[in-house]
Amino acid sequence: MDWLTLMIVVVVLSSAIAVLLLKDFLAALAAFSVVSLGMSVLFVIVRAPDVAMTEAAIGAGLSSLLFALALRRLGLWRTRK
Amino acid sequence: MSIIGDILLVIGCAFIALGSLGLVRMPDVYNRLQAGTKAATLGTIAVLLGIGFHHPDWWAKLLVIAGFVLFTNPVGSSTIARAAYKVGIRPRPLAGKYEADS
Amino acid sequence: MTLSVLQMIALALLVLGIGLSCLRLLLGPTTPDRVVAADTLAVITTAGLAGLASVFDNPIYLDVALVYGTLAFAGTVAIARALEGDSK
Amino acid sequence: MEDSLDTPPVSLSHHVFVFGILLLLWVLLTGSLDVQELVAGTVVSLAVTLLFGSRFTILTGFRFSWLAPIYVLTYLGNFFIALLRANLDLAGRVLSPSLPINPALVEIRTSLKSPLGRLLLANTITLTPGTLTIDVEDDRLLVHWVYYPPGTDLQQATEQISASFERRLSRFLI
C-alpha cells in the first residue's frame, strides 16, 4: 500500500505546482479539483472516511463550483490562445 | 465467485488504463473526450460489478453508483465538448473535410 | 488486507491510468484538455474509492465514492459552463 | 438551462412516478427493508413530491404502458452491447501504432420531443462506437465522429447510427 500512497502524493504535489504555475484561471481550477481529489483518497487510505467525505464534498464539489461561478461573474473566464 | 470478481476488476482497470492512454495519444480535445469518457464509464461499471461479486450484500449502493456514473458521465463530457466548441476549438483536420461546420 | 495477484494487477493498471491522465492534466495545451483530464480523473477515482472500500471491507467507504461522484460531476459542469462564458 | 422545449403538462401519474422513483432511491441508498426505514422514506418522498413534483419536469416524457419495462430492458441490453463494442473499437484504435482516426463533425436530426428522450439519445450517442454528442439544439444534434469512413454517404451512415436507438427509445418516450 505504500507505493499507492507515494503515487497519490506525487499526483497531489504535481497538480498543486501546476495550480501555481498555470496562467489560465479555469485550468488552474481544474488542477485544484485534482488536488482535493488526491487529498480525499489519502484520507481514505489513512482510514478517515468522515474527513474524506467532507473533503470530497467541499473540495471537489463546492469550492470548484463557487470558484467557477465567481470567475464567471468577474469575467475572468476568457481563455488565452 | 472471487475469481470472477478479480477478473472483472482486471478488465475494468485495463479499460481505464487504455482510456487514459488514449487521452495522452489522441490529437485534439474531442478525440480525447471520446477515449476518456467511453473507457472510464465502462471501466468503472466493470470495477463496480467485480466488487459486487466480492461483496454480494453491497449490491444496492453499487447499483446507485453505477447508475449515477452511467447517467452523468456522458452529460459532463458533452458539456465540456460544447464549451470547447463555443470557445472556438475545431477538430484538427488530419484528413478529409468537415461538413456541417457552421 | 492481503491482495491476490489479480488484484495487484488491477491496482497497477488503475495507477497507470491515474498517472497517464495526470500527465495530460500537466501537459494539456489548452484549457479544455485539462478539464477533460480532471473529469476523467474524477471518474477513475470514483472507481478507485469503491475498490478501496472493497479492500478495507467496510461499506462506509462506498458513501465517500458516491458523494465524490455526485459532486465531481457538479464541479465539472460548473467549470465547463464557466469556460463557455456568457456567449448566449 | 433554458426551458424552451415544449413540456407536456404535469399530471397525477407523473407525481406518482416521481414518488416511486424517490422511494426506490431511498430503499437502494439505505439498503434495508425495515419498517421504520420504509415509513421514514415514504414520508420524505411524499414531502419532496408535494413540494417539488410540479417543477420536476424532466421525467414528463415517459410513456406509460404495460410493455414499457420490457422496452426499457431491451434498450438497456442493446446499449450495453454497444458500449462494449465501443470500448473494444477504441482499444484497437489506441493500441495501433498509426492511430487510425479521421474525425468529422456531422449534424443529425431527431424526432424525439421530450427533454428526457433527447438527453437519453445524446447519452447513447456519446457512449456508442466512435461518436460523441457535442451540442443539442432543439431537434438537431451536433455529433463528432472519430472515424468517418471516406467515400460513404454521410447522411445515410448517420441515419444508421442514431436510427436503431431512436426507434428503441421512442417506444417508451415521447
Side-chain angles (χ1 to χ4, degrees), chain B residues 25 31 38 78 82 95 98-99, chain D residues 94 97 102-103 105 128 133 135:
Chain B
R25 282 198 69 192
N31 295 313
K38 290 188 177 92
S78 280
R82 190 170 78 151
Y98 295 102
E99 320 216 352
Chain D
V94 168
N102 185 12
L105 289 182
T128 43
T133 311
D135 201 355

Side-chain angles (χ1 to χ4, degrees), chain B residues 2-3 6-7 9-11 13-17 19-26 28-30 32-33 36-37 40-41 43-44 47-48 51 54-55 58 61-62 64-65 68-69 71-73 75-77 79-80 82-84 86-87 89, chain C residues 4 6-7 9-11 13-14 16-18 20-21 23-24 27-30 32-33 35-37 39-40 43-44 46-48 50-55 57-59 62-63 65-66 69-71 73 76-77 79-81 83-84 87-88:
Chain B
S2 179
I3 291 294
D6 280 355
I7 290 173
L9 281 181
V10 171
I11 290 174
C13 291
F15 275 128
I16 286 177
S20 304
L21 184 65
L23 204 62
V24 173
R25 282 198 69 192
M26 287 292 189
D28 70 0
V29 183
Y30 304 106
R32 282 174 194 150
L33 262 176
T37 306
T41 309
T44 306
V47 166
L48 292 175
I51 294 169
H54 277 283
H55 302 271
W58 292 2
K61 204 160 282 182
L62 291 173
V64 173
I65 299 176
F68 197 81
V69 167
F71 201 70
T72 58
N73 203 14
V75 178
S77 72
T79 321
I80 300 172
R82 190 170 78 151
K86 290 208 172 160
V87 164
I89 298 170
Chain C
S4 68
L6 283 176
Q7 286 170 349
I9 295 174
L11 190 58
L13 283 171
L14 196 71
L16 177 70
I18 291 179
L20 287 173
S21 307
L23 190 67
R24 178 49 70 195
L27 289 180
T30 64
D33 286 320
V35 182
V36 170
D39 182 35
T40 310
V43 180
I44 294 175
T46 309
L52 280 177
S54 172
V55 168
D57 203 7
N58 192 348
L62 279 185
D63 291 331
L66 185 61
T70 313
L71 287 166
F73 168 67
T76 303
V77 170
I79 294 178
R81 295 287 291 182
L83 186 65
E84 211 171 279
S87 56
K88 282 183 181 171

Side-chain angles (χ1 to χ4, degrees), chain A residues 26 71-73 75-79, chain B residues 79-90, chain C residues 79-88, chain D residues 1-2 135 137:
Chain A
L26 281 168
L71 288 178
R72 190 175 174 184
R73 174 64 65 89
L76 294 175
W77 50 271
R78 247 169 250 285
T79 55
Chain B
T79 321
I80 300 172
R82 190 170 78 151
Y85 190 79
K86 290 208 172 160
V87 164
I89 298 170
R90 294 290 180 271
Chain C
I79 294 178
R81 295 287 291 182
L83 186 65
E84 211 171 279
D86 43 8
S87 56
K88 282 183 181 171
Chain D
M1 291 284 188
E2 60 277 9
D135 201 355
E137 204 166 315

Side-chain angles (χ1 to χ4, degrees), chain A residues 12-73:
Chain A
V12 168
L13 278 180
S14 55
S15 15
I17 293 172
V19 173
L20 287 179
L21 295 182
L22 282 174
K23 295 284 191 295
D24 192 305
F25 290 108
L26 281 168
L29 185 51
F32 179 68
S33 77
V34 173
V35 172
S36 88
L37 173 156
M39 289 309 292
S40 175
V41 176
L42 278 182
F43 283 133
V44 167
I45 288 176
V46 298
R47 313 288 182 99
D50 46 350
V51 189
M53 207 182 292
T54 313
E55 175 70 31
I58 302 297
L62 271 181
S63 74
S64 58
L65 203 142
L66 285 179
F67 272 120
L69 288 179
L71 288 178
R72 190 175 174 184
R73 174 64 65 89

